[in-house]
Amino acid sequence: MNNYYELIYLIKNLKVSAEGTFFDFAISPHKDVLEIFLNTEAEDEALRLIFSTNPKETALFLDAYRPPKKSNVIEFFKEIEEQKIVNTELAHHDRLVYFYFENKDYLLFKLFSSNPNAYLVRNEKIVDAFKNPDDVVGTSPPEPYSPSFSDEVNPEAKPKNQITKLNPLLPRNLIPALVDQHGVTGMSPDEVKEFVAWITEELKTNPHPRVLVTGETSLWSKNVLNIETDEAFKTINNAIRHAYRNAVHTRRLHQGRQQVLHVLERSLSKKESQLEQLHQADKSLD
């Protein structure tokens, strides 16, 4: 979720829906989840901005308002309460998202690595953070890093590496399927260049936001990426929201299953121990 090209379209969604809203408050209703409540001038149009910092479920998206969890929650970024969002931006060639406020402060969302985070920045210094604030307060915020794009294809390299050298911003999790579908292994270097130019242009100009049956999000149509669609959407925001909810649901089901199995294993072990004790007692009577 939230690869670079998806973030391009997400920013377009945010510019329509989030710019002009006011930061109300932010809480963490669950581990690794930040919920930011945004108010509009119309009282019945409040929004929630959801940010997941779980490395396996990193996601940023807008969701409809629902009453906040009130017990056992911590509030974040109180310094910008009632501040108006005046601009949203995506870093050049990097997964850093900026929310600029009327008082010149900004929230920076880092959506990559093993430690995604949200930072409150004032005068180019971090003044607060969602995760581990003591480690970063007073330091400079993360700087965008633009990867290098190669103009040449190494014919000895693996197809996936050929593609990512030409465009390192492509969603790497989907490249193996593209390689198989389009026979990239048998392409010449010039054909690989043409192929990468085509799939990149499709992302830029012909998006088809959808969630695949694999649970992954994609902007490619089935003509480009022939993986079955679980559900198609009008906006990437809604596709990310759907994929994130499914991922969380699946994880919780797995955790619940593991807990039940653990209880059953303990119960079985206890019963086996009791049977063994009865067996030993029977033997002592012989």
Side-chain angles (χ1 to χ4, degrees):
M1 291 175 276
N2 285 131
N3 65 61
Y4 179 75
Y5 289 99
E6 290 177 348
L7 287 174
I8 291 175
Y9 292 96
L10 179 66
I11 288 295
K12 292 179 180 180
N13 298 157
L14 293 174
K15 283 187 174 295
V16 172
S17 300
E19 287 184 11
T21 64
F22 297 83
F23 184 102
D24 192 3
F25 61 92
I27 60 173
S28 180
H30 309 289
K31 184 177 183 292
D32 295 330
V33 177
L34 178 67
E35 257 188 13
I36 298 176
F37 287 77
L38 303 174
N39 282 336
T40 65
E41 294 179 351
E43 294 184 2
D44 59 343
E45 294 181 4
L47 298 169
R48 290 182 301 144
L49 182 70
I50 310 298
F51 180 43
S52 168
T53 60
N54 183 327
K56 295 182 179 180
E57 300 165 359
T58 306
L60 179 70
F61 59 92
L62 280 173
D63 205 351
Y65 174 84
R66 72 178 181 191
K69 183 180 178 181
K70 294 184 178 180
S71 60
N72 300 319
V73 295
I74 301 173
E75 288 194 37
F76 297 86
F77 308 133
K78 291 186 177 182
E79 299 93 330
I80 51 173
E81 287 180 0
E82 299 184 6
Q83 285 295 320
K84 185 178 182 179
I85 298 172
V86 295
N87 192 21
T88 51
E89 290 184 355
L90 173 65
H92 181 63
H93 288 170
D94 207 350
R95 287 174 291 167
L96 295 171
V97 173
Y98 303 82
F99 277 62
Y100 293 96
F101 293 90
E102 206 164 25
N103 69 346
K104 308 302 182 184
D105 291 350
Y106 64 88
L107 280 176
L108 170 57
F109 297 90
K110 185 178 80 168
L111 289 101
F112 58 90
S113 80
S114 60
N115 57 341
N117 208 346
Y119 309 97
L120 177 60
V121 182
R122 178 176 299 145
N123 299 323
E124 295 308 314
K125 293 293 182 183
I126 297 173
V127 295
D128 200 0
F130 174 48
K131 307 291 289 290
N132 305 314
D134 292 341
D135 295 340
V136 295
V137 167
T139 65
S140 299
E143 292 285 342
Y145 170 77
S146 182
S148 59
F149 293 73
S150 176
D151 294 326
E152 300 300 327
V153 173
N154 179 0
E156 303 300 321
K158 294 181 179 180
K160 180 178 179 180
N161 292 338
Q162 291 177 337
I163 292 171
T164 55
K165 281 290 185 181
L166 292 169
N167 186 350
L169 299 176
L170 293 173
R172 300 185 177 217
N173 58 311
L174 301 177
I175 290 177
L178 288 170
V179 169
D180 292 341
Q181 179 184 337
H182 296 279
V184 179
T185 303
M187 290 183 181
S188 68
D190 285 341
E191 288 173 330
V192 174
K193 289 182 183 180
E194 291 176 3
F195 175 71
V196 172
W198 174 59
I199 61 176
T200 301
E201 187 64 18
E202 286 291 302
L203 290 175
K204 291 179 176 180
T205 63
N206 190 27
H208 288 70
R210 58 191 182 116
V211 177
L212 310 176
V213 292
T214 58
E216 300 158 301
T217 53
S218 175
L219 288 170
W220 281 310
S221 68
K222 282 193 68 178
N223 180 48
V224 181
L225 180 67
N226 192 22
I227 296 178
E228 290 298 322
T229 302
D230 172 49
E231 192 166 344
F233 297 87
K234 292 183 178 180
T235 68
I236 192 61
N237 182 85
N238 292 349
I240 292 168
R241 180 178 61 194
H242 180 82
Y244 172 74
R245 287 175 174 174
N246 283 353
V248 171
H249 179 67
T250 300
R251 171 170 53 82
R252 289 175 178 171
L253 281 179
H254 177 73
Q255 290 174 342
R257 179 176 179 273
Q258 293 301 111
Q259 290 171 354
V260 170
L261 287 174
H262 180 65
V263 170
L264 290 175
E265 287 171 358
R266 289 182 58 187
S267 177
L268 180 61
S269 178
K270 183 177 180 181
K271 296 299 181 185
E272 288 175 342
S273 176
Q274 291 173 342
L275 287 173
E276 180 61 23
Q277 290 174 6
L278 289 172
H279 180 66
Q280 293 299 327
D282 287 342
K283 287 176 64 176
S284 67
L285 295 175
D286 293 341

